[in-house]
Every structure is written in C-alpha cells, then in structure tokens.
Amino acid sequence: MIRAIASKEFTQYWRDGRVVTVFGIVALLGLAATVTGWSAVSAMERERAAAVAMDREIWDTQGLKNPHSAAHFSRYAFQPTFNLAVFDPGLTEYVGNAIWLEAHYRDPATLRPIEDAVEIQRIAQLNPAWVIQVFAPLLIFVLLYGAVAAERESGTLRQLMAAGVRPVSLLLGKAVSAFSLTGLLVCGVLVGSAFLMSAEGIEALPDTGLRTVGLVVLYLVYLAVFVFLALGVSALSSRSRTALAGLLGIWIVATVLGPRVGPEVAGALAPAPSAPEFAARLERESSDPFWGSSEEAVERRQRVMDGLLAEYGVETVAQLPINYDGYLLQASEEFGNEVFDAMYDELWGSYERQRAIARVFALISPTLAAQNVSMALAGTGIHAYRHFADEAEQFRREFVLLLNQEMIDHGGAEGYAYVSGNDFWEQNPDFEYAAPGIGAAVRGVWGDVMILLLWLALAIAVAAAGVRRGFLGEMAA
Amino acid sequence: MIAPAILAHERRALLQDRLPVVLLGLFALICLFASLRGAEKREAMEEAATAFEAEHLQQASDWRERVVAVESGAVAPEDDPWAGLAMDVARPAVAAPGPLADFSQGVTAVHPFTSGVSLWRSVDRLFGNYQFQSPNEIRAGSIDLAFAVLFIMPLVMIALAFGALSRDKDTGRLGLLLSHPISVRELVRSKLLVRLGAVFVILVVALFAGLFIGAGGVPGGERLGRFGFWFLAASGYFAFWAGAIYWSVSLNRKSETTAMMMIGFWVLNSLVGPAVLAAAAQLIHPAPSQLAFLSTARAVSNEAYRSRSDVMQGMLLDHPELTVENYTIPEYIRVSYLVTQTVDRSVEPVLDDFEAVQRRRQAFLSLMQYAAPAALAMRSINEISGTDLARQVRFEVEVRDYKRVIARQVEGKVLSGERLTVAEVDAVPSYSFRESDLGAVGRNVLFPIGYLFALGMLAAALARRNLVRLQTRFREA
C-alpha cells in the first residue's frame, strides 16, 4: 500500500507543472552553487600554495639580519581551504586566510574574502549547503502542503479509508515520495560536490569519508524534519490553503528569520568586545606592563635581570655567558603570551556565549542547528577556525623562541648587532597544519545534533497525530 | 457608497482577524528592534571612532609638546634626541559611521573605519588589526531597518494580501459581492488599500521612529536630507511590491497558487537574484589575489631591506642636499622609511587593480541590478545610509593618499635626520573624511528609485487590465 501511494504521488508530482518548475530551479541552483564553490575553493588553494612557497623563499633569502628583527618580519600561517568547503564554505569567507606570526603580538587572521566581495553578497551567498538548507524545505512544502488537506477537500481521503488504507500507510506513502525526491536532490548535490572535491590541488580533510557520510545523514534528517512537519500541518489544517500559509510561515521563520535573528539577539545579549578597542587593549596590555616606563614595568624587567644573574651566579650583565637582550626579549614574549591567552580566551568565550544563546533559536529554526552541524562536519565552522588559529599561535611562540634563542646563544656582546644568515633561515621549520578529526569537529555541536533529533521526534509526533486525527475526523463525519 | 462600505468592512475584518494583527504586530516589533539595535551599533561605532581619534590626537599632542620643550629650550636637545623625529609623525584617520548607518549597516561590519597613519607602516598595513568581530555574527548579517524593509515587509505584504480576491472566490462569496454595484477592480483595490495600507503606515511610523531613535533626539540637517531619500527608496520598494502583489492577485488563481507564485517571486527577487548577481560579478570581474598582494609586499620589503645600501645610495644620488655631515639619528630609521616607501610604490599597482576591479564590479551591478529589485534597493539604501562599498573604498584610498601627503611633507627631514620644528609639526595636515554631498547621492539613487516606482506602476497597470477583463468575463457569465 505504501508503495502504491508513493507511486501515485510521484505521478502527481510529474504532472504538476509547479513541482517540476520548483524542482528544476532548485536543481539548477544546486548545480551552479556546486560549480561556483569548487571554482572558489580551487582558486583559494592555488593562491595559498603559491603564497606558502613565496613565504618560504622570502624567509630563506632575507640575508644577514638580526634574529629578532627577523622575528618581527616573521612568517605567515596560511589557512588551508579543505575539500568539503566546496559543499559548505561556512565561515570561510568571514575569517581571514592568513595569520602573521610576528614577535610580541598575536595577530588575528587577516585577508577575509568577504572584504573583497560585492555588498549584495551580504544578502545571500550561493553555495550548495545554502541551496539545500533554504530551498529543499520549500520544495518539500510545495510537494506536501496538500498531502492530507487536499485529499480531504476533494473527498479522496474517505475513499482511501474505505479502501482500507491505514493512517500510517498514508503517512509513510506520502513521506517516502517527497523524501525520495528531495533526497535525490541532496544526494545529487553532495555527489556533485564530492566529485569536484576530489579535484587535484584541493587538500582533503581528515576523515573526509566519515564526514561526507555524516553530511548525508544530517541532511536526510533535516529533510525528514520538514517532510513530517509538512504532513502534520497538512493533516491538521482544514484546507490546503491554510496548510500552505502555515508551512510558508514555518519556512520563513526556519530558514530566513531564525538564522539571522538568533545571532543578532545573541550579539545584543552577549556582545563581543569592540574590534578597535580589543586591538588597542591587546597591544597595550601585552607590551606596556613589560616595556613601559611605569614602576611596575621597570620592576618587572629588573626581576628578569636579577633572576638571570642569580641563575648564572654573576654580578653584571656583561659577565653573562649569554646575550641578555635576547633573554629579555624572550621574557617579554612569555609575559605577552599570558596576556594573549587571557584576552583571546575572553574573545573566544564571547563567541561561545553568543553561540549558546543563538542555539536557543534553533528551537524555532532547525536550519540554524543544521547549519552549525554542517559547518562543523565540513571543517568550516568556528571550532575549525579556532583550532587553526591556536595551532598557528603555538607555532608562532615556538618560532619566535627559536629566533630569540639564536640571539641568546650566539648574540654575545653584539646583542642587536648580531646577525644570522641564510644558512640559519633555511633550517627554520615551516608551519604544517593538521586539521582535527571528525571527533573534535562534532564535539562542539552535540547540542545542535540533539536539537535536530528533537525536531525530528516532534515532527514525527505531529505528523502521526495529525494524520490519525484526520482519519478520526473523517470517520466521525 | 459601496466602496467606502467595503473599505470600512475590510478595516474591521483586518482588526478582528488574529493572524493579520499578529503579522502586523510582528513587523512593527521587528522594525522597533531593528531601530534600537541599529542605533546601538552606530553609537558603539561612533564611540570607538571617537575614542580612537582622541587617543591618537592625545599622543600627537604629547609628542608636539616634546618638540615645543626642545625648541623653547626647556629641555636640552641631547636630553630628548627623539623629540621631533620626522619618522614619528602619526595622525589618526577616521571615517565616522555614515549618517544613517543605524538604518542600514551595509558593509561597515567587515571593513575598517579607523587608521593610525604612520610613516613606519607601509600602505598594506595602514588599517592595523580589526578582524576581531565574531565570524558567526558577520555571516548571519544584521537586523536593521534595511533588512526589515527589504525582506520582512514584502513577506508581510504577501501574507496579508495573497487572498484578496481568491479567498472570496474559493469561499463562493465573490458572486455575492459582485451582485452589488461594485467592480472587481474596486473590490480588489479596496482590500489591498486596507491591507497594504496598514503595512505602509507601520513602515512610515517605523522609519520616523528610527530617525529619532538613531539621532538620540531631534535629527540634524544631513540626517534629515538623507532620511528623505531613504524614505523615498523604502516607499519605492513598497510600491514595487504593492504593484507585484496587485498583479498576482489580478491573475485570479487559487489562493495557494497565488501564494506560491508570490513566495516564489520573493525567493527569486530577494535571495536567488542577489546571490546569482554577486556570484556573476565576482566571476566576471575576479579580484586580484589578496595572498599574492601580501606576498608581493613582503617580497619587496625583503628585497629593499637586503639591498638597503643601494637604496640609500640611490636616494642620496637623487637628493645630494640631504647629505648631512653631523647625522646623529640611527641609520635604521632612514632605512625603514626607504623600505616602507619602496613597498608603498611597489604595491600601488596591485592596489590600483583592486580598486579597478571594484569599479568594474560596481559598473556591472549598476546595470544588472535592474534584474533584481532587491539588490537595487539594497545598493540604493546603503548609498543613502553612507554604508556602501564605494564609500569604504574611497575612505581606504584617501587614507593611503593621506599617508603620501605626510610622507612628502616630512621626507626631507626624515632623510636628513633633522628634527621637525613646531611650525613644521603644526603644518602636518589632519585628515577628515567627507561624506558624499546630498546632491550626488540624489543623482545616483533617484533613477533606481524611480525604476522601482515605475515597475510598481507597470504591474498595477497590468493588474488593472487583467481585472477589467475579469469583470467582462463575470458580466458575460
């Protein structure tokens, strides 16, 4: 019976020009988005590879230079754009591509692609995940708004009941047909993305296979939520017109309003530090208390000197077997690093608080929850960005230590006049970034996964109750 | 007499029906939230800009005092050898938020609006570190009045008006209504007048509320002038949608078909159109690689530093008058200046490329925006608000030019290592960002706004023709 109902639904979809048109538009958009995504990721990766090579070359050929001066010039950590960004670029456009690993300062990632984008891109950005997140629910609603209500209006529901169709069969028959059609679309977009993702020159994320399976499951659950919601609303509405109005309202709240209102309210309730103010504070607090002329700063430097003299058992800096300037510079780095840790914790903490508040809005917008999980699986979410930024910072600290150590060990009395050459620079390591596996990616979005599952359970319950009530209503009539 | 009676009935029906009242209330609430949030963000930006400028001006003033002290003999020159060091001339450059930045945030969330202009910084580093905003927040976009007008208002209009004719037709009341001496056109017009009129009243109240909330009292002349254009743009967009809805209703389809058609049109106009246009603009006019730009700047800096003796020699050959016998300022300062200047000159063509690409994209969008009225309205609204991309590009170009002006003015003293006098310090110009004048804004936006009105009127004319035909059909029936 379920197969018969599904088969009849397919035939009806095929004959309905509106369904074919909407399906065609969404499929076309999905295709265009996939090709656009692939083109953007390929270009970013090509540019990154060239920049990495150039950075190495510049570093190796800088000639004679004081190691600490070199630490100021330093190097860059370039963020890779991994294969799954073809499907869901997530925050790729909104976080910087490169972090300067200079001495004395923890820089934010700069060169955000969004800064080069045209202003209307702020309305919507064409990518495969967005097409599915926004348009697949709309397609489902167009397919299903009359699933039960129209049957009732036209009197065919009674005929179905008379033919012995049970509520569960009707529910599943309708669900299977709409789910298969939209599932086909999602799988088509994902397969297309996967094909393009495997193109040469695009780096693969660890656990790409598992992540892709995760994305398929995520979007099938996401579709199922809307399929059952549509069936429930259709069954509970007296007319298909009312069902359509209700479903369009749900679509607008879920896909247009929720994802924007959530983060906006979160920003109002838990504001992140103002960017210019934060930048100024970061510079001031990491530097002035160490290098400034305040009593505190002078004492701090004195303590460093006293500690070092005591360690070597000498009276004056001149008697030290190491270069004191380099040692002091490294001490200032260590002081600054503690400030950076505290201030960046504050910054990340504010992002996390915002995310937690925004997540509440996932209770009215499953799209918001799906977006978070999708970005996490694609390695383009906030946690992936933080992981990269933290790894880059760890490397910066080791790299600056390496350069300061060169001055400490070999600078002797020359101090700032001491220079190293290309043979030293050539030995210095590169920043090699290894993205985290799927476990770490998913850890930050368990809450969103649970909310999606809650939505699914709720949608199934509404659909089951609605169809049962529809049958009872018809029986009573 | 019958038309006023229908108007009165519609008014009563509108107020008695819970759904339209809820929708209108929701729209009013969103507008209020948008006004408050917009004002809050604008104030935060203003505070950040003011604090930045004040801090830098204070530093400049303290620095000037040192020059005064040396020049007046209060401090011996050898006691403050760095006083008046020309390389240390630094000035703030700030673009305060646009006159109506609280109405439309535009591109301000992602671009810098402050710069500490200093000769120590090459032009690629003039804007410092500002990329600390929450990427999730930027990605989601903001809820401002522009969002309320461009996205929410059409949806509310659709929800209230899609059944203006079809609902009576579906319920069989249409025949009864038309048995009175009233035409279909008058009937539809009366219904739309009441329903869409309610939306327009809320829009007008919200815009005026926003005007006063954002100004924190009575608005000034510039704000009022811009508001006039903003109001016109919002009204144009309203007229466009009113016309489109009138036309859809006049097609006399079933309620759900009309609703789907309108939502489909909203999706195409508000989401797909801008997304496709943005993607096309960026595909046809790709921006130069930011990473390549960064690499170029670093490579040039490295090369200039390596060959600093040649650079110095070249400078002295060009300017033999700058050879000073008793040069006491460390050479690294001159080297830094020359390296920075070399970098500035070398990256100039790349920066010109960036600007040229933006100009080409703007030209492309200025033409293509007529295919997507939402994009057109957004661009006009941003320009009126002073939050458009062209304004931002202008600010960044002006800041770079400003640095060149300062460099030209003090170059001689940097290279000769002489102190600046108080008169020379005072002669360093300050930067002030000037908004485009109202006339220029008007010239740019009036045609697009007129186009919106024209589209609305065209659609209304077509609707009128459809309704006249429908009337004839009814009569014949």
Side-chain angles (χ1 to χ4, degrees), chain B residues 195-404:
Chain B
R195 286 153 191 261
L196 300 185
V199 179
F200 191 68
V201 168
I202 291 178
L203 173 70
V204 172
V205 172
L207 292 187
F208 275 95
L211 176 69
F212 286 92
I213 290 172
V218 180
E222 168 78 5
R223 189 170 165 85
L224 265 180
R226 298 251 179 176
F227 176 77
F229 285 122
W230 219 100
F231 186 82
L232 207 60
S235 304
Y237 198 59
F238 175 87
F240 159 73
W241 269 103
I245 289 169
Y246 190 20
W247 176 76
S248 306
V249 167
S250 76
L251 293 176
N252 189 32
R253 301 274 166 81
K254 281 170 68 181
S255 293
E256 49 260 48
T257 309
T258 312
M260 271 202 277
M261 208 163 66
M262 288 187 194
I263 288 292
F265 181 58
W266 180 87
V267 168
L268 282 178
N269 172 58
S270 309
L271 298 180
V272 179
V276 170
L277 272 188
Q282 282 155 198
L283 204 67
I284 297 169
H285 302 293
S289 160
Q290 286 184 333
L291 293 178
F293 168 65
L294 175 78
S295 297
T296 304
R298 280 172 67 77
V300 170
S301 168
N302 190 39
E303 185 52 38
Y305 183 83
R306 270 196 326 180
S307 52
R308 56 192 176 277
S309 52
D310 294 343
V311 172
M312 289 280 285
Q313 199 58 39
M315 181 277 293
L316 291 174
L317 283 173
D318 287 343
H319 300 282
E321 74 280 6
L322 297 177
T323 314
V324 177
E325 289 299 321
N326 57 348
Y327 192 82
T328 53
I329 299 298
E331 187 183 281
Y332 80 86
I333 291 173
R334 284 207 281 188
V335 170
S336 290
Y337 177 79
L338 291 171
V339 168
T340 310
Q341 287 297 98
T342 309
V343 173
D344 285 1
R345 276 195 300 276
S346 304
V347 298
E348 208 168 315
V350 189
L351 288 169
D352 288 346
D353 275 355
F354 274 107
E355 286 157 36
V357 164
Q358 288 299 357
R359 273 197 304 276
R360 283 198 293 273
R361 284 178 177 178
Q362 295 300 325
F364 172 81
L365 289 174
S366 294
L367 194 68
M368 297 306 291
Q369 64 181 351
Y370 292 98
L376 177 144
M378 185 198 192
R379 294 183 76 232
S380 299
I381 275 174
N382 283 351
E383 179 163 1
I384 297 166
S385 304
T387 55
D388 55 315
L389 189 60
R391 174 190 188 266
Q392 182 64 38
V393 171
R394 186 160 63 83
F395 169 64
E396 291 177 18
V397 170
E398 280 182 13
V399 170
R400 286 197 288 269
D401 289 344
Y402 177 56
K403 190 207 155 182
R404 284 188 201 108

Side-chain angles (χ1 to χ4, degrees), chain A residues 88 215 218 368-378 445 448-449 452:
Chain A
D88 187 351
L215 282 169
L218 163 71
L368 197 54
Q371 281 179 348
N372 289 337
V373 182
S374 178
M375 286 192 287
L377 287 169
V445 290
D448 299 286
V449 172
L452 264 182

